[in-house]
Amino acid sequence: MIIIMKAQATDKDIEAVLTRLESGGWRTHVSKGEERTIIGVIGDERRLDQGAMSRMDGVDRVVPVLRPFKLASRDFQPEDSKISVNGHVFGGNKVIVMAGPCSVESLEQMRETAVAVREAGAHLLRGGAFKPRTSPYSFQGMGEAGLKILAQVREETGLHIVTEVMAPDQVGLVSKYADILQIGTRNMQNYALLNAVGQTNMPVLLKRGMMSTIEELLMSAEYIMSNGNHKVILCERGIRTFEKYTRNTLDINAVPVLKELTHLPVVVDPSHATGKWTLVKAASKAAVAAGADGLIIEVHPNPAEASSDGEQSLKPQRFAELMEEVRRVAAAVGRTV
Ligand code: PEP
Ligand code: MN
């Protein structure tokens, strides 16, 4: 349910509506737009006397929200959410680019990559210290030693860090080093993990499950937000289809669909979506043309030697070329990079 206040409603009117709802046991979410205020109501809607609410001073109308996600929905908050990390704002005009290797492997590897991607214009550094691998025999990541490398490279280059957290009991540790907590595709419906990151104040990059619908992605965002953390950045990273030529299928539709359904920023991961470095530039440009607020791209100084995802990792020089072309596409759709 949302309560749309009249343009001329006073602060007192708004306060009275909130008091009535909260004393009745409902939770509220206030979105103050330029024109008018919208109050989102969370709780059992059947108990709410819609008629009585709509007769309160300053109330224009009461509208049921039929979709299952509430805090994440555009109905609750029509304006785009803006999430700032080190001055780079997700959900604004600028397309935010995160780049770096799949896995943290050594200080030298991270340092070399960070300097190169910063030079090419990336805004944040990615790198996994805890790796969710399909096989238990594959490289599992450096763990805390990897987080320490990330923090040192942030110190040296000024690039802030996005890195994955895989389990609720890692959230405290990873939050000590990271600037954005990444939830991987395999954990999108790990509700204990979603609740745990929801209880922090950290921005969360929530990747779409490889077999999840857009609605399921938004319900996972809702888990994080209903714990009080509204700093959720959604990430389309490709889904499983019958097509085998690429690792996944980039669901480019997800970008405009999400922009319609939610106020949360939407970024695209063209590396995991394609699985092949030769396709990453085209997928990046398509994402920006479709309205993505950012990109997260795998870059490795020596992809042939990478501990994970070498086939889809760009060499720094190729990443620099990609950035040039992405800038031109961004300009064509009225965005900067
Ligand atoms: C990654 O970012 O390296 C990763 C494991 O991504 P995903 O969870 O999308 O597979
Ligand atoms: Mn990877």
Side-chain angles (χ1 to χ4, degrees), residues 80-98 123-124 160 180 203 231-233 259 263-267 291-295 335-337:
D80 286 337
S81 273
K82 295 193 178 3
I83 299 169
S84 180
V85 182
N86 194 27
H88 302 299
V89 180
F90 290 87
N93 185 258
K94 191 165 92 170
V95 175
I96 307 299
V97 180
M98 300 164 273
H123 308 105
L124 285 102
H160 280 213
I180 303 179
K231 290 190 244 172
V232 181
I233 302 159
K259 295 305 281 183
H263 51 85
L264 296 171
V266 178
V267 308
D293 297 306
L295 297 167
R335 312 276 297 253
T336 56
V337 181

Side-chain angles (χ1 to χ4, degrees), residues 138-151:
S138 301
F139 176 62
Q140 301 287 309
M142 290 181 74
E144 187 170 8
L147 296 175
K148 289 191 168 140
I149 289 173
L150 287 169

Side-chain angles (χ1 to χ4, degrees), residues 102 126 131-132 164 182 184-186 207 237 272 298:
C102 181
R126 64 149 288 148
K131 296 304 301 177
E164 180 156 356
Q182 175 175 326
T185 192
R186 295 163 183 80
K207 298 188 95 175
R237 49 77 71 205
H272 293 85
E298 287 185 340

